[in-house]
């Protein structure tokens, strides 16, 4: 017969201590889990309050962005005159073509001419002077226009100058957030 290995009596094993350790570990794990959740919440809040503010929206207009440069204007007529002045200055060789293209959009009006008399044939000189404005080098423009007509004429003039509307030229009729 073989000898039976010696096992200590059950009373000598610290079972109560093992249970206490297991309870302490479980409580510590619960505490760590609670602390980790709280840390995630605090980190998230810290990220939110220290995040750089989005760039403020910029307000532009009314005016014209012409070849990357923004030029403010007070009214639609000022936008019209300012843009035509730039086109007439930058493209002197295209002046006649721009004037013809704009004139083709009217029934009896030229919109741009060499004099107020040519701009408004048959109208009295004081009336023609009231509704015209000097452009450049002996050119005058019609100022008796509404915004939709101005928009049409400017698109035509920009195209006749060889530029692209919406790319080289953008018109902002009123204050616009960008």
């Amino acid at each position: 017969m073989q000898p039976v290995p010696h096992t200590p009596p059950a009373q000598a094993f610290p079972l109560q201590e093992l249970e206490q350790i297991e309870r302490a570990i479980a409580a510590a794990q619960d505490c760590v889990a609670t602390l980790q959740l709280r840390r995630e919440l605090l980190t998230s809040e810290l990220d939110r309050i220290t995040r750089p503010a989005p760039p403020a929206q910029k307000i532009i207009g009314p005016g014209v962005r012409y070849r990357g440069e923004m030029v403010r204007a007070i009214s639609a007529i000022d936008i019209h005159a300012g843009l035509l002045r730039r086109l007439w200055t930058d493209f002197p060789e295209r002046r006649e073509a721009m004037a013809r293209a704009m004139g083709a959009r009217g029934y009896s009006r030229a919109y741009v001419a060499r004099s107020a008399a040519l701009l408004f044939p048959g109208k009295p000189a004081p009336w023609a002077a009231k509704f015209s404005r000097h452009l450049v080098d002996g050119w005058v423009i019609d100022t008796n226009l509404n915004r939709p007509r101005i928009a049409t004429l400017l698109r035509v003039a920009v195209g006749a100058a060889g530029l692209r509307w919406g790319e080289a030229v953008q018109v902002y009729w009123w204050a616009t957030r960008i």
Side-chain angles (χ1 to χ4, degrees), residues 6 8 55 71 74 85 124:
H6 177 49
V71 180
I74 295 171
R85 187 169 289 112

Side-chain angles (χ1 to χ4, degrees), residues 9 21 41 45 62 67-68 77 102 105-106 109 119 138 145 151 153:
I21 291 172
L41 287 171
E45 180 64 10
R67 296 174 135 182
I77 290 296
M102 291 172 67
R105 292 298 178 153
R109 295 164 79 169
L119 192 60
L145 304 169
L153 295 173

Side-chain angles (χ1 to χ4, degrees), residues 83 151 154-156 158-159 163-171 173:
L83 180 54
L154 289 180
R155 286 177 194 271
V156 168
V158 166
L163 300 176
R164 292 185 55 108
W165 185 265
E167 291 178 14
V169 177
Q170 293 127 359
V171 174
W173 299 109

Side-chain angles (χ1 to χ4, degrees), residues 78-115:
D78 290 335
I79 290 170
H80 178 65
L83 180 54
L84 289 180
R85 187 169 289 112
R86 285 184 174 251
L87 292 172
W88 252 247
T89 301
D90 291 354
F91 302 98
E93 73 284 356
R94 305 288 301 156
R95 289 176 181 173
E96 292 291 339
M98 289 185 284
R100 274 192 312 276
M102 291 172 67
R105 292 298 178 153
Y107 299 107
S108 62
R109 295 164 79 169
Y111 300 113
V112 180
R114 292 282 189 169
S115 70

Side-chain angles (χ1 to χ4, degrees), residues 25 32 37 57 73 92 139 173-174:
I25 289 172
V32 167
L37 283 173
Q57 287 187 332
W139 288 87
W173 299 109
W174 41 82

